[in-house]
Structure formats: structure tokens, C-alpha cells
């Protein structure tokens, strides 16, 4: 047997109940009988002329080339766009989205993190002004159908064989990464082809590149033409790292600061310590009012924001510098460190900045991140 939703074929997960066979691997999403047809399509039609969109700035020649190749290949192939942080991956797929809408086909933008869903929703509804753009994530599930659906990967269970094109952003991010249930649910929600957007490809995508089963497009330049910020690393005892962090923050008079930490507990402890010296806040997966705190930080109501990895991807804040405390911690792998350093220098107005890794022992993941940034600038 094969579960139509999560694509499980392991017999040990199947159970025969009073009403028929069920798959226990994805039962937490919703109980579905293997034998019954899953119908999640309410007959929604794509609006007329909703494909029109307007960008704030024109694409560079490199972005235009990648954008056109993506659109030209999506009818017949899955597409991987491997692009450095801040290179405009979202803008690059606008033409593909418009093409799908013009031909009356359904589009999804699936992302691992709720915070990124909310930010992307605000961006896309200002670009596609004639389209109905909906956000579907925790706290936003009352209206789940539109011309463009932006959702967390968890919410794809609502759309079995529904989308003609699914754009999967940051497929190497937690909680999607290495989650076979989510991977199956996302794939089964798309009857057409998928576009993968990432700066750090995983083993699955590497295997597909090797097998020539996906169109691989690369972009190693940001729109403003400046190089990626290469992180600087400071190694020392734990107490020395805190002193170095304070010294570094004191020099960032003209910049806002995000300090990434590996655990929820540490985000709280560091907040209570740093608030004695700076205006600051903290966000983690269990803190309250994260959306309000992040917006207040964007509005420059405080100088320092302490965050766990929930802010490592998709968040764009002007003129921000970044530090990672205990960057050698096992929570921070190469991919997450690349994403964190990519928060710096994303805007045209502030294309440069600083990223500092603070380590209490040498880390291979830190070294690999630095080498990857240097290679992208070569």
C-alpha cells in the first residue's frame, strides 16, 4: 500500500480500523482512509487579469536570465534555483507565478516558518495587486483559498493534489528538513512541477542534480552588486565571548543588532543581562507577541534583538548587523550559519555590514560557512 497524502509505503505504519485502512505516519494532520478519495478542491477559479504585477525595482540582467529560464522550464520540469542570500529569489519567481495565473493555474508558495509566511504575504499582496493573496499558517486558517496561497509546509495537508505549481522556499530549513512526512505531504499537494529556492542545497537536491532530474539554476550575485558579507570569527572562553559581544555592540552605534543564540533559555538569560545596557527584546518559538516585537525592531524602537533560529531565514531588516553567540553549538549547522550571515547587507541603501561568530571552541560548520561565503564572492 501507499498513503496518498504522505506517500508512505512502510507496512508497519498502516492500520486496519473499523472503517478501513489508515496511515498512522501522518494521522496527526487528519485521519484519512487509504481507500477513500481525498477531495480538497472547492472549485476555486483563478481571477481574471490577476497575473499583473509591479516590482519596486527592475531585475538585473542575471536575475532576468534566471527568471526566464525558470518560467520556460516549469511546464515540463522541476526547477532548483540555488541563489545566495539576498539575491532576490522571490523576485526571480514572480514571472513564473504570473505565467501560472495567466494560464489559470493554481500557485502555492510553501515556507517552513510562520514569520516568513507573514512577511512574504505582505510583499506579494503589494506586488500582485489584482490577485487574491492568502496566508495560511497558525492563527490564519479562516480563508485558505486564493489566487496565490502562501503557507507553511505543515498546512499543505489541506491541499491534496491541488496546486499546479508549488514554490518551496528554503527546503533545507527546520522543520521541513529531513521530515519525511512533510516532504510527502508537500509533494502530494502539487499535481504539476515544483520550484525549489535555497542558498544551501541538501543531499536530496544534490542527488537530483546528479541524476539530471531537475533543472539547476545558480545565482551568486546580489542585485546591488556588492559581495556577501564574510563572517569574522572570535574564539575564546565563555566569559570572554560575552565581553567581546558587548564591545562589538558598543561599536555598532549606527546599526541595529540581532544576536542569535542556540537555545530558548539562553535567549531569555541574555535578554535580562543586555537590557541593563541597551534597549532590547527577545524572540523564540515560545515567546509571546513575536510579530509585534519584530515589527517594533524594524521600526527602530530598540537597538538589540535577541533571537533563536526562528529568524535565521526570510527576514529582511535594513541596516542590521549580526552576531552569533556560541556559533559552534550543534544547533547551528553550515546552512543555518550561511542564512544568518545573509541577514546582513541585503538592501541597496546598506549593502555592507558585519557578521561576528563567537565560539568557545573551533567548529567545522563555522569554517564551512566562511568558506562558502568566500567562494560565492570569488
Amino acid at each position: 500500500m501507499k498513503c496518498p497524502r504522505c506517500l508512505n509505503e512502510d507496512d508497519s505504519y498502516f492500520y486496519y480500523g473499523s472503517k478501513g485502512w489508515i496511515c498512522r505516519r501522518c494521522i496527526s494532520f487528519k485521519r484519512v482512509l487509504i481507500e477513500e478519495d481525498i477531495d480538497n478542491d472547492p472549485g476555486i477559479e483563478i481571477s481574471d487579469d490577476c497575473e499583473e504585477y509591479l516590482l519596486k525595482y527592475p531585475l538585473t540582467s542575471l536575475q532576468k536570465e534566471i527568471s526566464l529560464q525558470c518560467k520556460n522550464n516549469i511546464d515540463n520540469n522541476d526547477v532548483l534555483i540555488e541563489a545566495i542570500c539576498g539575491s532576490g529569489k522571490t523576485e526571480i519567481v514572480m514571472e513564473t507565478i504570473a505565467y501560472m495565473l495567466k494560464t489559470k493555474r493554481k500557485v502555492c508558495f510553501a515556507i517552513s516558518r510562520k514569520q516568513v509566511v507573514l512577511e512574504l504575504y505582505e510583499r506579494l499582496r503589494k506586488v500582485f495587486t489584482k490577485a487574491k493573496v492568502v496566508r495560511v499558517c497558525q492563527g490564519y486558517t479562516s480563508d485558505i483559498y486564493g489566487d496565490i496561497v502562501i503557507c507553511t509546509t505543515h498546512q499543505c495537508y489541506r491541499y491534496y493534489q491541488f496546486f499546479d505549481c508549488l514554490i518551496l522556499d528554503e527546503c533545507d530549513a527546520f522543520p521541513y528538513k529531513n521530515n519525511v512526512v512533510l516532504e510527502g505531504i508537500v509533494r502530494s499537494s502539487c499535481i504539476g512541477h515544483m520550484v525549489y529556492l535555497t542558498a544551501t542545497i541538501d543531499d536530496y537536491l544534490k542527488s537530483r542534480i546528479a541524476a539530471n532530474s531537475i533543472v539547476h539554476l545558480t545565482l551568486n550575485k546580489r542585485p546591488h552588486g556588492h559581495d556577501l558579507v564574510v563572517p569574522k570569527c572570535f574564539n575564546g572562553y565563555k566569559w570572554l565571548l560575552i565581553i567581546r559581544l558587548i564591545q562589538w555592540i558598543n561599536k555598532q552605534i549606527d546599526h541595529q543588532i540581532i544576536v542569535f543564540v542556540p537555545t530558548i533559555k539562553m535567549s531569555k538569560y541574555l535578554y535580562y543581562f543586555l537590557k541593563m545596557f541597551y534597549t532590547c527584546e527577545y524572540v523564540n518559538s515560545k515567546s509571546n507577541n513575536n510579530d509585534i516585537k519584530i515589527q517594533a525592531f524594524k521600526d527602530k524602537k530598540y537597538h538589540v534583538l535577541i533571537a533563536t533560529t526562528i529568524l535565521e531565514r526570510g527576514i529582511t531588516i535594513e541596516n542590521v548587523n549580526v552576531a552569533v553567540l556560541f556559533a559552534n553549538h550543534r544547533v547551528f549547522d553550515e546552512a543555518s550559519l550561511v542564512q544568518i550571515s545573509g541577514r546582513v547587507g541585503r538592501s541597496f541603501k546598506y549593502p555592507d555590514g558585519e557578521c561576528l561568530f563567537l565560539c568557545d571552541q573551533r567548529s567545522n560548520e563555522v569554517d564551512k560557512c566562511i568558506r562558502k561565503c568566500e567562494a560565492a564572492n570569488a
Side-chain angles (χ1 to χ4, degrees), residues 39-273:
D39 185 12
N40 288 339
D41 190 347
I44 300 296
E45 296 292 333
I46 302 299
S47 307
D48 293 333
D49 300 324
C50 66
E51 73 275 7
E52 297 180 17
Y53 69 97
L54 180 64
L55 295 176
K56 290 184 178 180
Y57 57 86
L59 298 181
T60 66
S61 58
L62 290 174
Q63 287 177 316
K64 287 179 181 178
E65 180 181 349
I66 300 296
S67 175
L68 182 61
Q69 289 186 55
C70 182
K71 189 199 79 170
N72 290 343
N73 281 284
I74 194 60
D75 283 333
N76 302 306
N77 300 281
D78 287 351
V79 177
L80 163 62
I81 299 178
E82 182 186 2
I84 62 173
C85 300
S87 60
K89 293 187 291 291
T90 303
E91 286 73 18
I92 288 171
V93 295
M94 296 295 188
E95 187 63 25
T96 298
I97 294 174
Y99 170 62
M100 286 289 158
L101 296 179
K102 187 175 182 179
T103 51
K104 303 296 182 180
R105 288 181 282 179
K106 303 180 183 71
V107 180
C108 174
F109 218 121
I111 310 162
S112 295
R113 307 286 176 87
K114 173 185 174 181
Q115 284 78 13
V116 186
V117 167
L118 298 178
E119 179 162 302
L120 186 59
Y121 164 76
E122 294 297 335
R123 290 171 63 186
L124 287 191
R125 72 188 186 95
K126 293 175 183 177
V127 173
F128 289 92
T129 56
K130 294 186 178 181
K132 180 184 178 183
V133 183
V134 298
R135 54 191 167 180
V136 185
C137 57
Q138 183 182 17
Y140 299 89
T141 57
S142 59
D143 186 6
I144 64 171
Y145 296 108
D147 300 315
I148 303 173
V149 175
I150 306 171
C151 67
T152 53
T153 50
H154 281 78
Q155 298 295 336
C156 284
Y157 84 92
R158 301 176 183 273
Y159 304 98
Y160 176 70
Q161 293 189 352
F162 184 78
F163 300 111
D164 299 288
C165 176
L166 188 143
I167 301 165
L168 180 59
D169 194 13
E170 306 299 358
C171 48
D172 60 324
F174 177 84
Y176 181 83
K177 182 180 179 180
N178 298 326
N179 188 322
V180 292
V181 176
L182 279 181
E183 290 172 3
I185 286 174
V186 167
R187 289 174 195 157
S188 66
S189 70
C190 181
I191 57 176
H193 290 284
M194 293 177 58
V195 179
Y196 296 85
L197 304 179
T198 184
T200 48
I201 58 176
D202 58 13
D203 290 338
Y204 168 72
L205 291 175
K206 289 177 182 177
S207 67
R208 293 199 60 182
I209 293 170
N212 291 319
S213 64
I214 194 169
V215 175
H216 183 202
L217 308 175
T218 59
L219 180 61
N220 284 329
K221 206 69 176 177
R222 286 176 164 177
H224 51 55
H226 290 243
D227 285 346
L228 275 179
V229 172
V230 178
K232 296 178 181 179
C233 187
F234 179 85
N235 298 310
Y237 295 110
K238 292 181 179 180
W239 59 268
L240 192 58
L241 299 185
I242 300 297
I243 294 175
R244 181 70 183 93
L245 175 64
I246 292 175
Q247 291 174 338
W248 182 79
I249 293 176
N250 289 339
K251 295 179 180 179
Q252 312 299 320
I253 300 174
D254 299 325
H255 299 269
Q256 288 183 280
I257 303 298
I258 301 179
V259 180
F260 285 90
V261 293
T263 67
I264 291 174
K265 182 182 292 186
M266 196 178 299
S267 69
K268 295 178 182 178
Y269 288 164
L270 189 62
Y271 163 71
Y272 289 122
F273 176 69

Side-chain angles (χ1 to χ4, degrees), residues 209-344:
I209 293 170
N212 291 319
S213 64
I214 194 169
V215 175
H216 183 202
L217 308 175
T218 59
L219 180 61
N220 284 329
K221 206 69 176 177
R222 286 176 164 177
H224 51 55
H226 290 243
D227 285 346
L228 275 179
V229 172
V230 178
K232 296 178 181 179
C233 187
F234 179 85
N235 298 310
Y237 295 110
K238 292 181 179 180
W239 59 268
L240 192 58
L241 299 185
I242 300 297
I243 294 175
R244 181 70 183 93
L245 175 64
I246 292 175
Q247 291 174 338
W248 182 79
I249 293 176
N250 289 339
K251 295 179 180 179
Q252 312 299 320
I253 300 174
D254 299 325
H255 299 269
Q256 288 183 280
I257 303 298
I258 301 179
V259 180
F260 285 90
V261 293
T263 67
I264 291 174
K265 182 182 292 186
M266 196 178 299
S267 69
K268 295 178 182 178
Y269 288 164
L270 189 62
Y271 163 71
Y272 289 122
F273 176 69
L274 292 184
K275 75 174 185 176
M276 294 188 293
F277 311 102
Y278 316 103
T279 56
C280 66
E281 255 300 354
Y282 74 96
V283 292
N284 57 55
S285 60
K286 294 186 178 180
S287 58
N288 298 321
N289 303 316
N290 284 347
D291 300 338
I292 296 174
K293 293 177 181 177
I294 293 169
Q295 187 57 53
F297 183 67
K298 290 181 177 180
D299 294 336
K300 300 182 179 180
K301 293 183 179 178
Y302 39 87
H303 186 212
V304 179
L305 180 64
I306 302 157
T308 55
T309 55
I310 66 167
L311 287 190
E312 74 178 28
R313 298 165 186 263
I315 299 295
T316 298
I317 299 173
E318 254 194 6
N319 198 24
V320 68
N321 283 348
V322 167
V324 185
L325 186 59
F326 302 114
N328 56 292
H329 192 280
R330 64 181 180 276
V331 166
F332 300 119
D333 59 12
E334 177 193 357
S336 64
L337 291 172
V338 167
Q339 292 290 342
I340 288 171
S341 64
R343 300 309 99 203
V344 182

Side-chain angles (χ1 to χ4, degrees), residues 351-365:
D352 302 301
E354 293 184 18
C355 177
L356 177 65
F357 290 165
L358 299 161
C359 308
D360 58 354
Q361 61 182 0
R362 192 173 183 85
S363 165
N364 288 331
E365 300 301 309

